[in-house]
Amino acid sequence: QQLELNCWAGTVVGGVSDDLSRTNVFNAKTAEVIIHHQVEINQSFPKEGWVEEDPREIIQSVYECIEKTCKKLCHLNIDIGNIKAVGVTNQRETTLVWDKVTGEPLYNAIVWLDLRTQSTVERLINKHKTGLPISTYFSAVKLRWLLDNVDMVQQAVLTGRAMFGTVDSWIIWCLTGGRKGGIHCTDVSNASRTMLFNIHTMDWDHELCSYFDIPMELLPKVKSSSEIYGRMHELKRLIHKCCLGDQSAALVGQMCFKDGQTKNTYGTGCFMLRNTGNKPVMSEHGLLTTVAYKMGPDQPPCYALEGSVAIAGAVVRWLKDNMGIVQSSAEIEKLAASAGTSYGCYFVPAFSGLYAPYWEPSARGIICGLTQFTNKSHLAFAALEAVCFQTREIVDAMNKDSGVPLVQLQVDGGMTANRLLMQLQADILGVSVVKPSMSETTALGAAMAAGAAEGVKVWSLSPSDLPRITSEKYEPQINSDESEFRFARWKKAVQRSMNWETTESGCGDNGMISFVLDDDQNSDSL
């Protein structure tokens, strides 16, 4: 059957999954995925706390995705010339520097989870220009590390050949010609995650760049999230239209265009965004204030409150790869369901410290409440509960900052396939959890922004014109007293994880400590 051809491709690089490139082609009328292709990206861990990716592998995976997707379209008798626009979405804080003359990266991409910059963040900074706290999470401290520690980066800066960008800038530059005239740009949603961008003036900030001693000529030009950036070098009939950071793209893909609408993405980490409209809300409870999107050069920016959790799906990977408790990530639901409870066991997966609302990089993972009865099923259940408890902390902070309680949470990301996790989340939050039937919300958001750009206009973002996507709803099934009790116990474990360095120093030469609690023991014994 001949498909309607007003569609476009949305390229996702390390979006919800940090080790994956994916290309999707959407039908602009129905928001359905016509075809897709994905390629895995390797991550390396040179030292404890370091996380890197090869920029060459990143862009090669994008080229492969494009090539394979175009071949699949041809097999469906679809002329690729009928694709109207391309959108890119990406992991936001991952940091790259490359040589604009040779086109070669000067170091591996430093991934958002990386902790090597802890010594840099000991100093304080006023966050109200950036909406961000000082943290290893954001790009400025990663760029500062590269400038201080990598000779090739230092030399390229001195000779005026260095370019900085997050993953989106690297992809856009390569796809639009690279060293032969590639466009060096980013969008407001990515720029707002660097700690160098003023979210009020919507531009790079001289004072912040001076504070970090970062030359402004390294920085990409900041554009809106939905406008023509330039022609795509590999497929000259395609025009590159938009860019959105992955979590902003998911907010758009979930169609959260109204003030107060909230989505949570469950990937390697968890990322909750609440639309706060055209005025930034500065958090007093440990959240980030970020630019959600700007749908055109002449449109006002839309802001969001964000709560970031470092470890969500990564805890399942840890149970599989490090502990051997499951053979595949899909097994975690069945294993946890076989127990039906954690039996008083609580897990705080602070493998990279704790992000919102604590911003405590020295926190370390902890499992407590163990008895001789505890088995791997209870640990699996506790791991899923930990994801839900971390989300609950973000919701509580958002409710306090906004003054309006959350009544429904829209969810997406790979972990939402776990039905037990979604039910646990509804139980622990005490509100409805709504999962769309179309799982590619991050790519869809980039596609919507691309299709709505001036000069394309194959997609209207008016509420009355948005496609209707079916969804699955999870309602709370336990009483609020039980939910509050379990959450309070977990919070005590969090406090222990944040006092780990103090605790460890009193443990003797071996630096080990064990927690053995019977279920009927007072939780204060934590």
Side-chain angles (χ1 to χ4, degrees), residues 406-426:
L406 181 73
V407 295
Q408 176 176 288
L409 180 65
Q410 294 171 234
V411 299
D412 56 71
M415 289 191 83
T416 61
N418 188 320
R419 297 175 64 88
L420 174 60
L421 175 68
M422 294 295 95
Q423 185 57 57
L424 283 172
Q425 188 67 88

Side-chain angles (χ1 to χ4, degrees), residues 10-15 17-24 36-42 53-70 89 91 167 170-171 174-175 232 234:
T11 302
V12 184
V13 177
S17 177
D18 295 314
D19 52 2
L20 190 70
S21 289
R22 184 178 176 92
T23 302
N24 300 274
H36 68 84
H37 190 79
Q38 67 184 41
V39 176
E40 291 187 358
I41 301 172
N42 293 312
E53 291 175 357
D54 183 348
R56 299 176 189 85
E57 185 180 354
I58 291 174
I59 193 60
Q60 188 56 46
S61 69
V62 173
Y63 290 143
E64 182 178 341
C65 281
I66 293 170
E67 180 184 356
K68 295 295 176 63
T69 299
C70 289
T89 181
Q91 53 190 47
V167 175
W170 169 240
I171 295 168
C174 290
L175 292 183
M232 188 169 167
E234 294 298 313

